[in-house]
């Protein structure tokens, strides 16, 4: 689970960095590049959400395994 959490942090950090960079580029008039970075950021955000879902499943399965062993 620690590896999944680390990957979530990495994906969400990358999404945030891309969003900030896209904002700065849009302010400077580089709209096409900003749009491309926004799309990349969205993909990282989606990956982060998928990983959160995987983590929830792992935690639920871990809780179920602990409950059934009692």
């Amino acid at each position: 689970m620690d590896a999944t959490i680390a990957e979530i942090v990495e994906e969400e950090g990358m999404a945030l960095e891309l969003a900030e960079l896209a904002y700065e580029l849009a302010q400077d008039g580089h709209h096409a590049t900003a749009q491309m970075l926004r799309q990349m950021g969205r993909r990282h955000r989606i990956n982060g959400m998928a990983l959160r879902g995987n983590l929830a499943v792992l935690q639920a399965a871990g809780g179920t395994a602990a409950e059934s062993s009692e």
Side-chain angles (χ1 to χ4, degrees):
M1 282 198 291
D2 290 339
T4 302
I5 293 169
E7 200 169 346
I8 291 168
V9 170
E10 184 178 331
E11 288 288 342
E12 292 182 354
M14 182 62 74
L16 180 60
E17 287 181 33
L18 288 168
E20 290 171 348
L21 185 55
Y23 175 79
E24 291 173 17
L25 286 169
Q27 295 301 307
D28 291 338
H30 302 283
H31 300 291
T33 305
Q35 181 62 27
M36 178 189 66
L37 291 176
R38 279 189 210 101
Q39 290 173 349
M40 290 170 61
R42 286 184 192 115
R43 175 55 46 200
H44 284 284
R45 184 96 45 213
I46 290 167
N47 290 344
M49 287 189 290
L51 287 166
R52 284 181 178 273
N54 292 343
L55 181 61
V57 169
L58 287 172
Q59 289 173 334
T64 303
E67 291 170 2
S68 59
S69 66
E70 292 177 356

